[in-house]
Amino acid sequence: MIFGCAGFMRSLRGPPTLKQMFQLRWRHGGSIKMDATQKRKVLSQFQNQSDVLMYDRQAKPTLYRWGPWVAGGQMLMWLNFADFYWRYSMDKNEETGELVLSPAWKRACISAVAIIAGVSIGGGLLHYISRSVASMRILNSGSTVRLETYRITGRGTKVRDFPTANMFSRDTLYTGEGLQGVTRQGSPQYSINASGNSYAFIMNRAGWFKSPKSFDTLFHRSVLPTK
């Protein structure tokens, strides 16, 4: 009740004055300036350093070697189901009471759904593997980010280079919990994006991070950058 009355009283005050709008803009501008200063301070740590390891999954390059087998196995299962349904699906004839082969449209629809499910699940699993990060490095005095992501074959990694300014995350890495301060209950992953990429890259919070707070200073964005 008290909060409702307070909100009602604020609504009676009308729109903010020019002075109040200027104060809000000044505070926002000061926040942006502070963020830029902090980023420059973090980037200065990489001056004259050609290669700095920032994240390591601490796992073998063959971590996901089971991925293609699982994806292929479940797709084969769905294909077998689709084939079985197409060949042997039966319905009861209302006139004779005998079992007859289901209409072609029904068998085709169910079989198609099964095939789509298999391809979607298998493709989703392989896509997840391809976006999982094995390691992250800062190169060229802080101007470049190098990500090593796992290959969908389950063997080896793929190198991807991006300008540091193009990397951003809506996620917050540092939580103050756990051994490194990055543990988050119910969310074992940290996602980071690169401008021009439709999907985020995924880091496991169980991996090793050089400086979680520096991560957030460099990459955290409360507002997504415009394309």
Side-chain angles (χ1 to χ4, degrees):
M1 183 67 181
I2 295 176
F3 292 107
C5 292
F8 176 72
M9 293 301 295
R10 282 195 300 269
S11 66
L12 294 178
R13 299 175 184 174
T17 63
L18 183 62
K19 180 179 179 180
Q20 291 172 331
M21 293 177 64
F22 177 78
Q23 289 175 340
L24 289 172
R25 177 169 293 185
W26 181 82
R27 291 173 184 172
H28 179 65
S31 176
I32 293 176
K33 185 176 180 179
M34 183 180 296
D35 289 343
T37 301
Q38 292 174 341
K39 290 175 184 175
R40 284 197 297 269
K41 184 176 180 180
V42 171
L43 287 173
S44 66
Q45 301 174 11
F46 306 111
Q47 291 296 322
N48 302 320
Q49 297 190 53
S50 59
D51 189 337
V52 179
L53 181 64
M54 295 294 291
Y55 166 78
D56 188 357
R57 179 67 178 86
Q58 295 185 326
K60 296 180 179 179
T62 56
L63 174 66
Y64 292 108
R65 61 183 180 276
W66 50 265
W69 296 99
V70 173
Q74 66 84 33
M75 290 175 67
L76 183 61
M77 179 188 69
W78 285 102
L79 287 173
N80 285 334
F81 172 81
D83 180 68
F84 180 85
Y85 195 91
W86 172 257
R87 291 174 181 269
Y88 303 111
S89 177
M90 308 290 284
D91 285 338
K92 188 175 183 180
N93 190 305
E94 296 181 357
E95 296 179 357
T96 63
E98 297 179 352
L99 291 177
V100 296
L101 198 63
S102 301
W105 66 266
K106 180 179 179 180
R107 290 181 287 131
C109 288
I110 299 300
S111 298
V113 169
I115 293 174
I116 292 173
V119 172
S120 299
I121 296 172
L125 174 60
L126 296 178
H127 179 72
Y128 172 83
I129 292 174
S130 71
R131 309 303 290 187
S132 297
V133 179
S135 68
M136 175 179 176
R137 298 176 181 276
I138 299 292
L139 309 178
N140 304 325
S141 300
S143 63
T144 305
V145 170
R146 170 166 292 176
L147 298 179
E148 286 190 44
T149 56
Y150 292 98
R151 296 183 181 274
I152 61 174
T153 59
R155 297 183 179 277
T157 57
K158 180 179 180 179
V159 176
R160 306 167 188 253
D161 289 346
F162 302 97
T164 303
N166 288 1
M167 304 297 294
F168 64 93
S169 176
R170 292 294 301 272
D171 201 358
T172 301
L173 179 62
Y174 184 76
T175 62
E177 299 181 6
L179 185 62
Q180 295 188 88
V182 299
T183 302
R184 175 170 291 171
Q185 296 297 328
S187 179
Q189 298 173 344
Y190 168 81
S191 60
I192 187 168
N193 299 74
S195 297
N197 282 251
S198 301
Y199 300 96
F201 295 99
I202 302 168
M203 298 181 183
N204 195 303
R205 290 178 180 267
W208 175 84
F209 292 88
K210 179 177 175 61
S211 176
K213 291 184 177 180
S214 295
F215 249 85
D216 288 334
T217 301
L218 287 176
F219 305 119
H220 180 68
R221 305 285 190 276
S222 57
V223 179
L224 292 177
T226 57
K227 295 183 179 180

